[in-house]
């Protein structure tokens, strides 16, 4: 596995500004003692843009665009479930990371593309028992598509939307609660760390 990254985020667990750009590669071959031969590539761009600075103390637009593909005809089916990233694997479409209104790994393909948009607005900062907490509301929109060929995504785009609450505990521990909706399903997620 090898990744090239450009990172200007001000604070990785809960950024308020900056860029994260990554080109990640995962290679498997018999000469590496693997049973399978294939190559996975993921390109993703994340941006955290403060907006309405004069009106609100901290409101930002968090955006992520991702595009991954698998080269080689010998990739096993379970490799279609995620794309490797140096910041943690990105699951296929569906679930808490990509297309939140659908069940985890609902859509699998050789090629996957997705876009996530969140409007994160901090509503309160409190100190309780010597611990610092901040509360952020985040309406979001997710889009994604898959394809069965290398580098090709079918024109059908799935969409999901919803809203969530982010609770940052002493800055670096972020508890995430998201309610997401799509034409197919409703999902609720309670996890640690922002999905991007």
């Amino acid at each position: 596995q090898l990744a090239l990254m450009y990172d200007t985020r001000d604070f990785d667990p809960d950024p308020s500004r900056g860029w994260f750009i990554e080109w990640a590669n995962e290679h498997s071959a018999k000469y590496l003692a693997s049973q399978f031969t294939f190559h996975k590539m993921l390109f993703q761009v994340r941006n955290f843009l403060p907006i309405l600075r004069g009106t609100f103390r901290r409101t930002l637009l968090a955006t992520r665009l991702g595009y991954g593909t698998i080269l080689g005809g010998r990739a096993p089916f379970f490799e279609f479930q995620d794309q490797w990233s140096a910041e943690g694997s990105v699951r296929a479409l569906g679930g808490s990371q990509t297309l939140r209104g659908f069940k985890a790994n609902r859509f699998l393909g050789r090629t996957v593309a997705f876009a996530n948009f969140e409007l994160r607005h901090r509503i309160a900062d409190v100190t309780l028992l010597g611990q610092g907490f901040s509360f952020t509301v985040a309406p979001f929109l997710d889009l994604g598509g898959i394809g069965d060929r290398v580098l090709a995504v079918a024109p059908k785009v799935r969409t999901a939307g919803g809203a969530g609450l982010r609770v940052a505990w002493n800055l670096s521990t972020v508890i995430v609660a998201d309610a997401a909706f799509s034409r197919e399903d409703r999902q609720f997620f309670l996890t640690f760390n922002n999905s991007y």
Side-chain angles (χ1 to χ4, degrees), residues 101-114:
F102 296 90
K103 291 198 173 15
N105 292 338
R106 172 66 177 88
F107 305 104
L108 303 177
R110 181 172 297 278
T111 300
V112 61
F114 54 89

Side-chain angles (χ1 to χ4, degrees), residues 35-112:
Q35 184 179 355
F36 304 102
T37 300
F38 63 90
H39 189 87
K40 294 167 82 169
M41 291 187 297
L42 171 69
F43 180 75
Q44 66 171 322
V45 177
R46 305 178 197 175
N47 179 244
F48 304 90
L49 178 67
I51 58 175
L52 304 173
R53 287 186 190 180
T55 307
F56 299 109
R57 183 171 151 241
R58 181 174 171 199
T59 300
L60 66 99
L61 178 63
T63 305
R64 177 177 64 173
L65 304 174
Y67 186 83
T69 196
I70 300 175
L71 305 170
R74 303 273 326 248
F77 71 93
F78 51 82
E79 288 294 340
F80 288 61
Q81 297 179 29
D82 73 334
Q83 289 285 335
W84 180 78
S85 165
E87 290 223 320
S89 292
V90 178
R91 305 299 294 176
L93 294 188
S96 64
Q97 288 186 315
T98 52
L99 203 53
R100 286 169 273 194
F102 296 90
K103 291 198 173 15
N105 292 338
R106 172 66 177 88
F107 305 104
L108 303 177
R110 181 172 297 278
T111 300
V112 61

Side-chain angles (χ1 to χ4, degrees), residues 14 122 132-135 166-175:
D14 192 19
R122 182 175 290 176
F133 296 92
S134 67
F135 298 87
R166 314 285 185 262
V167 180
W169 175 19
N170 288 336
L171 299 177
S172 61
T173 301
V174 181
I175 303 165

Side-chain angles (χ1 to χ4, degrees), residues 173-188:
T173 301
V174 181
I175 303 165
V176 175
D178 283 336
F181 306 89
S182 69
R183 294 179 66 183
E184 182 177 299
D185 209 348
R186 291 184 296 249
Q187 298 285 301
F188 178 76

